[in-house]
Amino acid sequence: AQSVTQLDSQVPVFEEAPVELRCNYSSSVSVYLFWYVQYPNQGLQLLLKYLSGSTLVKGINGFEAEFNKSQTSFHLRKPSVHISDTAEYFCAVSSGDSSYKLIFGSGTRLLVRP
Amino acid sequence: SQTIHQWPATLVQPVGSPLSLECTVEGTSNPNLYWYRQAAGRGLQLLFYSVGIGQISSEVPQNLSASRPQDRQFILSSKKLLLSDSGFYLCAWTRGLNYEQYFGPGTRLTVT
């Protein structure tokens, strides 16, 4: 069965510093991978996705992620964060079955300080 | 373009009262639909999903039920709310294929 591990529950960082949010997955089938962002009291918004092709995926708001099959990782990065990036970030992997479910990690709260 | 609506946005209900949350999708047909719950400070918990009208799969046995009376409508219900039902309820849909899900704005439920 598929699973997702987000090792960091909270990541504090200063404004304009780089950040990496870690995501590791476990799957016995080919996967699609996603990062979603959730601002307070809002639904989830897709940041980026890996379906196939280039392992470096670029998303909205200057975020990017790299799919590493050998390390089963899909870490999210941004070279310079803004206060407005403060939010909860969720990594997800496809279930691989006809339910089309996504398996979500427990989330990482990014806290950007001035 | 497709949009997803959830109603109501916020709800305060006493313990033991019934519940009905509604989710509707516009601009697509035969979507897969999902109900999630977020307890305070916690991650997403998948409650139910539906791959077609009248087809409901439950992920976690509990005090809630779901129904899909129309192709693009998904209802979450309870006959008697518990304090532990408090949380942020999210509805999502997907076309399938690449698994990308689109989320609604959510309903904040507080059971008092």
Side-chain angles (χ1 to χ4, degrees), chain B residues 37-73:
Chain B
R37 177 171 63 196
Q38 275 184 302
R42 304 189 66 179
L44 292 164
Q45 179 186 34
L46 179 62
L47 302 175
F48 301 94
Y49 69 92
S50 171
V51 299
I53 296 175
Q55 300 180 56
I56 307 296
S57 296
S58 174
E59 289 289 295
V60 183
Q62 53 196 315
N63 188 42
L64 302 170
S65 62
S67 62
R68 185 170 177 174
Q70 300 181 40
D71 181 43
R72 292 170 290 173
Q73 185 183 33

Side-chain angles (χ1 to χ4, degrees), chain A residues 21-32:
Chain A
L21 305 184
R22 297 180 293 170
C23 173
N24 287 89
Y25 69 93
S26 173
S27 177
S28 58
V29 299
S30 296
V31 296
Y32 299 143

Side-chain angles (χ1 to χ4, degrees), chain B residues 11-12 16 21 31-32 47 68 76 82 89 102 106:
Chain B
L11 190 60
V12 180
L21 302 182
N32 283 14
L47 302 175
R68 185 170 177 174
L76 183 69
L82 306 172
Y89 289 80
Y102 306 91

Side-chain angles (χ1 to χ4, degrees), chain B residues 3 6 13 18 21 26 45 47 56 65 71 98-99 105 107 112:
Chain B
T3 55
Q6 288 187 243
Q13 292 284 90
L21 302 182
E26 297 178 352
Q45 179 186 34
L47 302 175
I56 307 296
S65 62
D71 181 43
N98 62 16
Y99 290 77
T107 295
T112 61

Side-chain angles (χ1 to χ4, degrees), chain B residues 6-25:
Chain B
Q6 288 187 243
W7 185 89
T10 60
L11 190 60
V12 180
Q13 292 284 90
V15 169
S17 63
L19 173 73
S20 181
L21 302 182
E22 183 172 339
C23 170
T24 58
V25 181

Side-chain angles (χ1 to χ4, degrees), chain A residues 4-9 11 19-25 32-38 44-51 55 57-61 63-68 72-78 87-94 102-110, chain B residues 44 99-101 103:
Chain A
V4 177
T5 301
Q6 292 184 245
L7 293 169
D8 305 304
S9 60
V11 173
V19 69
E20 178 180 85
L21 305 184
R22 297 180 293 170
C23 173
N24 287 89
Y25 69 93
Y32 299 143
L33 292 158
F34 304 84
W35 276 100
Y36 284 85
V37 60
Q38 184 182 31
L44 275 67
Q45 178 183 3
L46 182 68
L47 267 181
L48 48 79
K49 59 189 175 186
Y50 171 78
L51 304 180
T55 57
V57 179
K58 294 188 182 298
I60 62 172
N61 300 340
F63 284 93
E64 63 180 31
E66 186 159 16
F67 171 56
N68 189 319
T72 60
S73 67
F74 190 54
H75 299 333
L76 181 70
R77 302 184 182 100
K78 186 169 183 178
E88 191 85 19
Y89 292 79
F90 292 95
C91 181
V93 64
S94 53
L102 289 178
I103 312 303
F104 283 88
S106 55
T108 297
R109 176 156 179 77
L110 176 63
Chain B
L44 292 164
Y99 290 77
E100 182 175 339
Q101 290 189 12
F103 284 79

